[in-house]
Amino acid sequence: MNDTIAAVSSAGGPIGLIRVSGERAIEAVSAVFQPKNGKKLTDAPSQKLVYGTLRDKDGKVIDCCYAVVLRAPLTYTGEDMAELQCHGSTAVLQLGLDALFCQGVRQAEAGEFTRRAFLNGKVGLSEAEAVHDLITARTAEAAQNAAAQVMGAVGSPVQEMRDDLIGMVAHFHAVVDFPDEDIDPVLFEDAAALLHRTTSRLYAMAESYERGRILREGVPCVILGRPNAGKSTLLNALLGRERAIVTDIPGTTRDLIEENVKVGGVLLRVTDTAGLRDTTDPIEQAGIDRAMAEASASALILAMFDGSQPLGDEDMLVLARSAGHRAIAVINKDDLPRGIDEKLLKKHFLHIVPLSAKTGAGLDKLLELIPKMVGLGDGSIDGALITNARQAAALARAAERCEAALYAAQSGMTPDAVVMDAEGAIAALGEITGETVTEAVVSRIFSDFCVGK
């Protein structure tokens, strides 16, 4: 990492940022930026904006902008850094990069700034992964969770548990080194207490992944129902705009219509589907087949029923497809005289919401229920939700090894048995903090980042 890298870190708006890091970062930016105060940028104090002109590789002025130098080790990467805060023109930013490349700077690879921060000990691996989650967050709640993890909401407790286990293992090793002495039973009792506490914490963290994944990726949700039950009207009501065509003609919706809807703190990836019924129309049947497949893959089904009509054979298809899934029965057309018998629905659904998708009456109850159905209804986002499948798997492995070590400690096995499983847990936790992760895994993680981060 002795070379110096640069990349456009922000573009597409009124301000564009060129970020530079490495041994020659300040020198390279000083060569293409001339302060208005007549002083050298290399002499500027750290973390202070300097106004001046940016020049291209031929020395021509291309922008009036700001520069800032950031001196190691108090920087994001732990190296000397410098940034150019330019106008957001793509042409200006590219000319600025080209000028830096002529100074011996090279283009940064995807995620290389954060990777250098990790390799230089500025952030742990879990914090680095949270940077990616923060960049790609699509809801305020997902951003809050990621920001807390950048600040150590996952890395800190994992490091604490790992340190405790290392201390316990070191104590056991000291005992094993003196086999002629009797082993104090208190050693096993203390180890069992630590392992019991740690196992519970690890399982709780691992099990939060399902909620964390929903927070980060959103909830795949399908609106299912017979023709003219009001599925497209409900989609439009959720979106607050006319997205799907609504008519009284059965079979109007023939293909899947997908949209993202923010419901409370949840991103709902809603799919409107073709109405379920027997049909001889091959195009409509293809849409129905897609609807059935989409329902099978969804995490939440909004089973739509026409409240003004008795349940029919087509509604039975909806009941059958909803069975075994997380589902809410939505009785639509509550603005019309009630014709549906809810007794059968109550046998199939834990939650039933009457509403009028046309007028919006009752829609608030559905919006309030959806986050609770997916486990995100309490509104508490503190960074504790695991959003990363790799971390969740490592936490589960660590919990299993801690549980095995606990059994060994409680069963009076030899210290070696306790140590072996405890060391397995330590290694698994090191995959989260970064101490025991392989180079291949590190490369894979940062390859998902955008260039400039």
Side-chain angles (χ1 to χ4, degrees), residues 240-284:
R241 59 185 174 86
E242 297 296 316
R243 169 64 177 87
I245 298 173
V246 177
T247 74
D248 293 330
I249 303 172
T252 299
T253 302
R254 297 192 170 198
D255 205 351
L256 305 180
I257 300 176
E258 300 178 358
E259 287 287 343
N260 291 335
V261 181
K262 175 79 180 301
V263 179
V266 178
L267 181 69
L268 209 61
R269 291 155 41 201
V270 186
T271 302
D272 182 20
T273 62
L276 303 188
R277 66 170 179 171
D278 291 328
T279 180
T280 58
D281 186 329
I283 298 177
E284 185 180 357

Side-chain angles (χ1 to χ4, degrees), residues 127-274:
E127 287 81 9
E129 288 177 299
V131 170
H132 183 267
D133 281 356
L134 186 56
I135 293 168
T136 57
R138 292 185 284 179
T139 66
E141 290 74 14
Q144 290 167 11
N145 194 72
Q149 292 188 5
V150 170
M151 300 298 291
V154 170
S156 293
V158 167
Q159 187 64 59
E160 176 189 343
M161 287 184 284
R162 189 170 187 269
D163 290 343
D164 288 343
L165 290 173
I166 289 173
M168 184 199 74
V169 167
H171 200 171
F172 269 99
H173 275 303
V175 171
V176 172
D177 289 341
F178 298 96
D180 294 334
E181 296 187 12
D182 293 333
I183 298 176
D184 188 344
V186 175
L187 176 62
F188 283 97
E189 293 174 6
D190 291 345
L194 172 63
L195 290 167
H196 184 275
R197 184 170 63 252
T198 304
T199 300
S200 298
R201 292 180 68 186
L202 290 172
Y203 272 128
M205 292 181 72
E207 289 167 0
S208 74
Y209 171 65
E210 180 58 27
R211 294 172 63 214
R213 184 184 62 80
I214 288 172
L215 181 68
R216 187 188 66 181
E217 300 175 4
V219 182
C221 172
V222 64
I223 306 175
L224 210 59
R226 72 185 190 184
N228 281 355
K231 301 182 299 298
S232 296
T233 306
L234 178 60
L235 175 64
N236 290 339
L238 290 171
L239 290 172
R241 59 185 174 86
E242 297 296 316
R243 169 64 177 87
I245 298 173
V246 177
T247 74
D248 293 330
I249 303 172
T252 299
T253 302
R254 297 192 170 198
D255 205 351
L256 305 180
I257 300 176
E258 300 178 358
E259 287 287 343
N260 291 335
V261 181
K262 175 79 180 301
V263 179
V266 178
L267 181 69
L268 209 61
R269 291 155 41 201
V270 186
T271 302
D272 182 20
T273 62

Side-chain angles (χ1 to χ4, degrees), residues 47-92:
Q47 302 180 1
K48 183 177 180 180
L49 286 173
V50 178
Y51 184 66
T53 55
L54 175 63
R55 300 175 182 271
D56 66 11
K57 61 184 181 181
D58 297 321
K60 298 177 182 178
V61 175
I62 54 174
D63 198 8
C64 295
C65 60
Y66 287 96
V68 59
V69 299
L70 307 160
R71 303 185 192 280
L74 301 179
T75 66
Y76 180 72
T77 62
E79 306 170 330
D80 279 347
M81 296 186 67
E83 294 179 353
L84 290 162
Q85 299 181 13
C86 311
H87 290 92
S89 163
T90 302
V92 167

